Amino acid sequence: MSRRETLSRSALKLPAIVSLFIWSVIPLLMTLWFSFRRYNLMEPDRTGFDGFGNYRYLLSDPSLAMAIGNTVLLVASVLVITVGLGTLLAVLYDQVFFGRGIARVLVLAPFFIMPTVSALIWKNMMMHPDYGFIAFLMRSVGLKPIDWFAVAPLTSIIIIVSWQWLPFAVLTLLTSVQSLDSERKEAARMDGAGPVAIFRYILLPHLGRAISATVMIETIFLLGIFAEIYVTTSGGPGFASTNLSFLIYRYALLEYDVGGASVAGLVAIVLANILAFFLMRSFARNLDL
């Protein structure tokens, strides 16, 4: 390849490289820069280089540990519910039964509802302590309704987010179940294997790659859950339902502390990259890369 052709190809790649630099590197550098600055919009006179002051303040703030714990608990709980229940529903919907088409449409419907709308539905129509559907069911059996968002705020968020993401897991896993060769299941039945043995030794190994892909994709989005928390609990009571995304919002737009918000953003980036490292290793192992 001549020098001219090499330069020509490099010139064609240049816009993509510049776009990537502007899109990702510059915001990261600006976040890093503001994390070392004394920059609170409520105190415009206090400016300048603050060293590790913002880092010391954030690491001594008990809300950071609560936010990290809530983030990990939220992501792990939703993954367990959606992947576990999604696997069972995928196997069920692979069977032939009356109304299967309608059942599939109904189970996929929540995924097409915007997060803000689904949070409002659950807040006002399902979990409201006075006129919610769950309160109606509890009163019907003689139980006293509870205020979900005051008594169990993080559990309420987990239920709402799981309801939203269960269709994605069902869709992905159902596609994988349907790709399984039916002759393998028929051969296992002829050898005397029951439904549990077929599920344990044939279906689950076959679903390994689909489960890994579902876990990785869901984790990426679940780390940034915000709308459901903002609409229902606003991170409270206290910091009981605050995750890292909402903590950054609190620092930046409620306390106007740009420096603290930048440090919290860097913590979120580090946590996301640690999770991404292990998830990518697991995903690559299942794909035999």
Side-chain angles (χ1 to χ4, degrees), residues 21-212:
F21 183 79
I22 295 174
W23 187 263
S24 60
V25 177
I26 289 181
L28 179 61
L29 292 178
M30 289 182 67
T31 304
L32 191 63
W33 165 255
F34 283 124
S35 71
F36 291 103
R37 302 286 297 178
R38 192 180 294 110
Y39 188 10
N40 191 318
L41 298 179
M42 298 295 288
E43 300 174 353
D45 297 332
R46 295 183 68 249
T47 59
F49 184 70
D50 193 32
F52 289 95
N54 289 321
Y55 290 86
R56 285 194 296 270
Y57 173 74
L58 187 71
L59 293 177
S60 63
D61 189 349
S63 64
L64 176 64
M66 291 190 66
I68 293 176
N70 288 339
T71 302
V72 174
L73 184 59
L74 173 64
V75 173
S77 300
V78 174
L79 286 177
V80 169
I81 294 172
T82 56
V83 174
L85 194 55
T87 302
L88 297 177
L89 289 176
V91 174
L92 173 64
Y93 288 149
D94 187 47
Q95 312 301 315
V96 178
F97 59 89
F98 177 74
R100 185 176 67 170
I102 297 175
R104 285 181 177 179
V105 171
L106 290 176
V107 80
L108 297 179
F111 197 57
F112 300 99
I113 300 176
M114 290 182 289
T116 306
V117 177
S118 65
L120 286 172
I121 291 173
W122 278 89
K123 181 180 181 180
N124 297 318
M125 299 178 65
M126 299 298 293
M127 291 181 167
H128 196 280
D130 294 327
Y131 47 82
F133 184 67
I134 296 177
F136 166 75
L137 293 178
M138 295 181 72
R139 277 193 294 268
S140 301
V141 296
L143 297 176
K144 182 180 179 181
I146 62 174
D147 188 349
W148 286 86
F149 298 108
V151 176
L154 189 59
T155 302
S156 306
I157 301 296
I158 290 171
I159 292 173
I160 296 172
V161 178
S162 299
W163 180 75
Q164 285 180 261
W165 280 93
L166 179 62
F168 174 77
V170 172
L171 185 63
T172 308
L173 298 173
L174 179 60
T175 304
S176 180
V177 169
Q178 290 178 333
S179 68
L180 178 64
D181 187 0
S182 60
E183 292 184 357
R184 291 179 61 188
K185 291 190 287 185
E186 189 59 32
R189 289 193 190 96
M190 294 178 66
D191 290 338
V196 177
I198 293 176
F199 178 78
R200 168 69 179 85
Y201 296 105
I202 296 179
L203 272 177
L204 275 184
H206 178 74
L207 290 174
R209 294 180 178 180
I211 290 176
S212 297

